[in-house]
Amino acid sequence: MRLSRKKLWGQMETTALVPTTLEIKNVDLGDFKVQLPIPHLCVLLREREMGNYRVCMCFTRKFRGTEAKPPEDVQEAFRKYAEGGTHMTADQLRRFLVEAQGEAEDAATAAEAETIVQQILQKRHHIAKFTRHALTLDDFHHYLFSADLNSPIHNKIHQDMRAPLSHYFIFTGHNSYLTGNQLTSDCSEVPIIKALKKGVRVIELDIWPNSTKDDVHVLHGRTVTAPVELNRCLKSIREHAFSASPYPVVITLEDHLTPDLQAKVAQMLSQTFGKMLFYPESDCLKEFPSPEDLKHRIIISTKPPKEYLEAQTIRDNEHNSQRGKDSDEDVWGNEPSSLTADQEDEDKSDDETTDANQNCDDDDDSDSRSREAPEYKRLIAIHAGKPKGGMKEALKIEPGKVRRLSLSEQALEKAAESLGTDIVRFTQKNILRVYPKGTRFNSSNYKPQIGWLHGAQMIAFNMQGYGRSLWLMQGMFRANGGCGYVKKPDILMNTDSDNKVFDPKAKLPVKKTLKVKVYMGDGWHMDFKQTHFDLYSPPDFYTRVGIAGAPADEIMKKTKAKEDNWTPVWDEEFTFPLTVPELALLRIEVHEYDMSEKDDFAGQTCLPVSELRPGIRAVPLCDRKGERYNSVRLLMRFDIL
């Protein structure tokens, strides 16, 4: 790291430790030169005391580590609801929760307020809890800054779960068995387990005959990925399917098997899942069951086996012929460094790839079958398949029948240009799955908003890749208690008097306005080493806040950087007009400013605007993978007008 003049000499006390008897030599420290004794060259130590940094044992930098006081809005709220007193009672806290925080009367009961008071006192004052039953200003501030007690969104399932599956966005994985990149990584049950524990509800398995054609392996076809046995994957799904959510797990099978192996897979599925396995009542469902009806059930989705010998007449060439713009760069800017599972170039042109390396999705026609496997066919609840003909034909609604259609991200972008309302109408009854383009070798992902705006239920994501797109996906599925099913907004399900549906391309008026105030941040000094962000001084944090959603709503803004402070206080407010608030996500990122290098990543989160709880809230931040930090959080206020 180059040492900037601001970093070395900014607001510090400097103690010279250079002995006059030692030989002195000029040393280049980047922006300027200093004289150091030769025995101390290339030695860099730091003192362990908070706020003291030592440079080459010749300068000691001391920073005042003052604790940030409660923001003025917090102080004002305390004065108001404590009625000018020095302590806030449980009843006064209850009034604050209802009137200022927008909590429902039946949720913010006297008993609930009393519980909060006792929890705060027990945590902060082990002795005082026996002598008093009210909060001081600092106690009140501590409560507001607690991510566990004062979270920004609801953490319980609260949506209607009795509608058909097609009425929900579903947390969906792509090539769920891969441990890393799409070409050379190992296949394993471990990433499947990780995905299920994070709430993913759709697991994709590519099934192929093994080398001796007598068993079934899971692997990414036409690559050199090391296979894993299908049985291991199925047993892992059985054991972990409902560890994060009681709602159904869908297994999408990309089937490349012969009929006899299909029959073997049917036997494996039946023996592994038993009564957990959902058997459809008829060959074709007229309407999908609801998540509530399918609690703790496993659902199979794939193409039905061919019933007659049929030559392959149509090849899906979406990977080569349907290319859309790469949506990795947007108003949010370039991805922070080190965000993907591998460091391969994801901006490689589609023209640099060949058919052999393309992702072979489950809707691509595989080898023809000369006979059907009835046991296998009977297990398929969600039928996949693409009718012959163009996209207009594929999006036709078939009376008395529901199905699943899969499109690549490029195919969706192309169809959305002229068939946007057809897609929305199709997804009101049927399921649309969108999968990544074949050139995402490093398991990167695409922006999911275009799919959500058109009602696509299954936006298939590489859960082993990282980056802003995955952060958005994780943010969407923090909604509804993180159960993996989020009910689509009414705008995507309704038709007007003229039988028209929502048009994603229509220019709409502002429906709501979100006001966000960023007060302060804390916790980095607990979760990071003192020199993690800068070797010579405390970090210079700033926060980026913005909206991901409809194109008209997408924007980013940022606070000023606060220099040399582990507990930055910004106290800045931002306003976001929203035309489609139902699908808007609030994106929050914190970075550490670096004058001479790329800014350092310091945390992120993404929250559904429709789930935001108004008032002053503690917002926990996550790392690049979406794992929550132990201590890092922001104090913010949300108002939806």
Side-chain angles (χ1 to χ4, degrees):
M1 178 181 290
R2 284 175 55 84
L3 182 61
S4 69
R5 187 182 306 275
K6 189 268 303 182
K7 282 294 184 185
L8 187 58
W9 302 108
Q11 299 188 9
M12 67 175 182
E13 299 176 19
T14 305
T15 305
L17 300 176
V18 183
T20 57
T21 58
L22 293 178
E23 181 183 355
I24 303 299
K25 184 174 181 179
N26 290 331
V27 180
D28 189 353
L29 291 180
D31 294 348
F32 56 95
K33 296 180 179 180
V34 298
Q35 290 184 326
L36 302 177
I38 288 178
H40 294 162
L41 290 179
C42 303
V43 178
L44 182 63
L45 298 174
R46 68 177 177 86
E47 294 185 8
R48 300 183 84 81
E49 291 82 3
M50 180 66 180
N52 291 346
Y53 293 75
R54 182 170 288 184
V55 182
C56 296
M57 295 186 69
C58 301
F59 302 102
T60 299
R61 311 189 62 208
K62 298 180 180 179
F63 295 83
R64 296 181 178 87
T66 57
E67 184 176 349
K69 65 179 182 179
E72 180 56 38
D73 286 0
V74 174
Q75 297 182 48
E76 176 58 33
F78 184 84
R79 286 192 294 266
K80 177 179 178 180
Y81 288 95
E83 300 174 356
T86 58
H87 290 80
M88 178 183 287
T89 65
D91 185 62
Q92 291 169 335
L93 176 63
R94 188 196 64 79
R95 285 185 51 232
F96 166 77
L97 295 176
V98 173
E99 296 175 11
Q101 300 287 88
E103 301 287 354
E105 290 271 3
D106 57 349
T109 61
E112 178 66 21
E114 183 64 37
T115 299
I116 293 173
V117 170
Q118 292 305 316
Q119 286 178 313
I120 296 298
L121 294 179
Q122 183 174 2
K123 186 175 183 179
R124 288 175 53 82
H125 313 284
H126 299 290
I127 298 177
K129 66 175 182 175
F130 299 108
T131 60
R132 63 180 173 88
H133 302 279
L135 305 178
T136 64
L137 172 60
D138 286 340
D139 293 333
F140 180 63
H141 182 220
H142 178 86
Y143 159 67
L144 291 176
F145 219 164
S146 171
D148 294 327
L149 296 177
N150 188 35
S151 62
I153 62 174
H154 298 283
N155 55 14
K156 295 181 180 179
I157 300 170
H158 59 89
Q159 296 179 349
D160 177 17
M161 304 301 288
R162 295 180 177 84
L165 288 179
S166 56
H167 291 217
Y168 299 84
F169 297 125
I170 310 173
F171 204 176
T172 302
H174 175 254
N175 290 349
S176 307
Y177 49 86
L178 288 178
T179 58
N181 70 68
Q182 302 285 309
L183 299 179
T184 62
S185 67
D186 291 335
C187 302
S188 169
E189 73 277 11
V190 173
I192 296 174
I193 295 171
K194 289 181 178 179
L196 291 170
K197 287 183 175 180
K198 291 179 180 179
V200 172
R201 298 289 85 194
V202 181
I203 298 295
E204 182 187 21
L205 302 177
D206 294 42
I207 49 179
W208 295 77
N210 66 351
S211 58
T212 57
K213 311 295 183 183
D214 61 352
D215 202 358
V216 181
H217 277 173
V218 173
L219 73 153
H220 195 200
R222 300 170 186 153
T223 68
V224 294
T225 54
V228 61
E229 292 177 355
L230 174 61
N231 240 345
R232 288 174 60 181
C233 296
L234 297 182
K235 288 177 180 178
S236 296
I237 294 173
R238 180 191 63 196
E239 293 170 8
H240 300 278
F242 307 108
S243 57
S245 169
Y247 291 105
V249 167
V250 180
I251 301 176
T252 60
L253 298 175
E254 183 182 317
D255 175 5
H256 304 274
L257 303 177
T258 56
D260 57 326
L261 286 180
Q262 288 176 346
K264 186 168 185 174
V265 169
Q267 186 178 20
M268 284 185 191
L269 291 169
S270 299
Q271 290 178 348
T272 302
F273 297 115
K275 294 182 179 179
M276 295 169 62
L277 197 60
F278 172 75
Y279 290 84
E281 295 179 356
S282 59
D283 286 347
C284 254
L285 293 173
K286 295 181 179 180
E287 184 179 66
F288 292 117
S290 72
E292 189 68 30
D293 294 333
L294 295 170
K295 267 187 173 180
H296 299 105
R297 304 298 292 274
I298 303 293
I299 305 169
I300 304 301
S301 177
T302 186
K303 290 194 311 246
K306 299 292 183 182
E307 295 187 11
Y308 302 97
L309 180 62
E310 179 180 90
Q312 183 174 325
T313 57
I314 299 175
R315 172 75 62 179
D316 183 4
N317 290 318
E318 290 169 353
H319 295 295
N320 293 327
S321 63
Q322 296 175 337
R323 297 184 185 132
K325 63 180 180 180
D326 199 341
S327 58
D328 295 333
E329 184 168 342
D330 57 12
V331 295
W332 288 101
N334 293 324
E335 289 279 11
S337 59
S338 303
L339 290 185
T340 53
D342 294 283
Q343 296 304 311
E344 296 166 300
D345 182 11
E346 73 177 67
D347 292 327
K348 184 181 292 184
S349 169
D350 289 357
D351 293 326
E352 297 177 33
T353 64
T354 62
D355 288 343
N357 290 329
Q358 298 297 349
N359 178 48
C360 187
D361 190 74
D362 63 345
D363 278 341
D364 292 342
D365 287 328
S366 54
D367 296 335
S368 299
R369 288 104 182 189
S370 59
R371 57 189 174 88
E372 62 177 310
E375 307 91 341
Y376 182 70
K377 182 177 180 181
R378 194 168 68 89
L379 297 178
I380 302 172
I382 301 177
H383 286 216
K386 186 181 297 181
K388 295 179 176 62
M391 186 62 66
K392 186 81 172 178
E393 187 70 22
L395 292 170
K396 279 189 175 180
I397 299 173
E398 301 178 56
K401 178 182 178 182
V402 291
R403 57 189 169 90
R404 193 198 87 207
L405 172 68
S406 285
L407 299 176
S408 70
E409 58 176 290
Q410 306 108 303
L412 175 65
E413 288 182 357
K414 184 174 181 180
E417 293 176 3
S418 57
L419 299 171
T421 55
D422 293 270
I423 300 173
V424 173
R425 193 180 300 278
F426 177 85
T427 57
Q428 289 182 339
K429 183 179 180 182
N430 300 280
I431 290 176
L432 176 60
R433 174 178 171 270
V434 184
Y435 58 91
K437 62 183 180 181
T439 52
R440 294 191 180 275
F441 303 132
N442 61 346
S443 295
S444 63
N445 287 299
Y446 51 101
K447 288 176 63 176
Q449 294 95 311
I450 185 171
W452 290 332
L453 280 166
H454 290 80
Q457 296 88 346
M458 297 182 179
I459 309 295
F461 258 45
N462 295 310
M463 303 306 296
Q464 70 275 30
Y466 315 129
R468 286 194 174 101
S469 293
L470 184 59
W471 299 347
L472 295 177
M473 181 65 66
Q474 292 167 339
M476 167 64 83
F477 289 101
R478 287 191 177 100
N480 201 26
C483 73
Y485 286 82
V486 175
K487 200 163 190 303
K488 296 199 290 187
D490 291 341
I491 57 170
L492 291 174
M493 301 306 302
N494 292 341
T495 56
D496 62 18
S497 56
D498 296 326
N499 200 32
K500 293 182 179 179
V501 298
F502 173 73
D503 184 357
K505 295 181 70 174
K507 292 184 177 180
L508 302 172
V510 172
K511 186 180 291 187
K512 289 185 178 180
T513 298
L514 172 66
K515 293 178 66 177
V516 177
K517 191 165 188 178
V518 186
Y519 292 113
M520 59 187 294
D522 197 7
W524 287 280
H525 67 284
M526 301 288 289
D527 293 345
F528 293 87
K529 294 181 179 179
Q530 186 175 351
T531 55
H532 177 87
F533 296 104
D534 199 291
L535 294 174
Y536 314 109
S537 70
D540 305 336
F541 291 127
Y542 65 90
T543 298
R544 306 176 70 194
V545 186
I547 297 294
D553 297 342
E554 293 201 338
I555 193 172
M556 62 162 289
K557 301 178 181 180
K558 69 176 182 177
T559 68
K560 296 178 181 178
K562 290 297 180 180
E563 294 186 359
D564 302 330
N565 205 320
W566 283 97
T567 310
V569 177
W570 298 287
D571 204 30
E572 295 187 40
E573 189 172 63
F574 305 98
T575 300
F576 302 102
L578 303 174
T579 60
V580 190
E582 299 91 340
L583 295 173
L585 298 171
L586 177 65
R587 286 286 295 110
I588 302 167
E589 293 180 16
V590 178
H591 297 266
E592 197 271 337
Y593 173 73
D594 194 307
M595 182 180 296
S596 56
E597 294 185 352
K598 187 172 183 178
D599 293 352
D600 295 316
F601 173 84
Q604 61 83 23
T605 194
C606 182
L607 303 170
V609 171
S610 61
E611 296 260 329
L612 285 176
R613 302 167 71 191
I616 302 172
R617 303 290 177 180
V619 179
L621 297 185
C622 302
D623 63 15
R624 290 182 174 94
K625 297 181 181 181
E627 301 291 339
R628 178 172 160 177
Y629 289 124
N630 291 328
S631 307
V632 178
R633 65 208 186 280
L634 302 179
L635 187 66
M636 307 179 71
R637 191 186 73 209
F638 307 112
D639 295 293
I640 303 177
L641 310 175

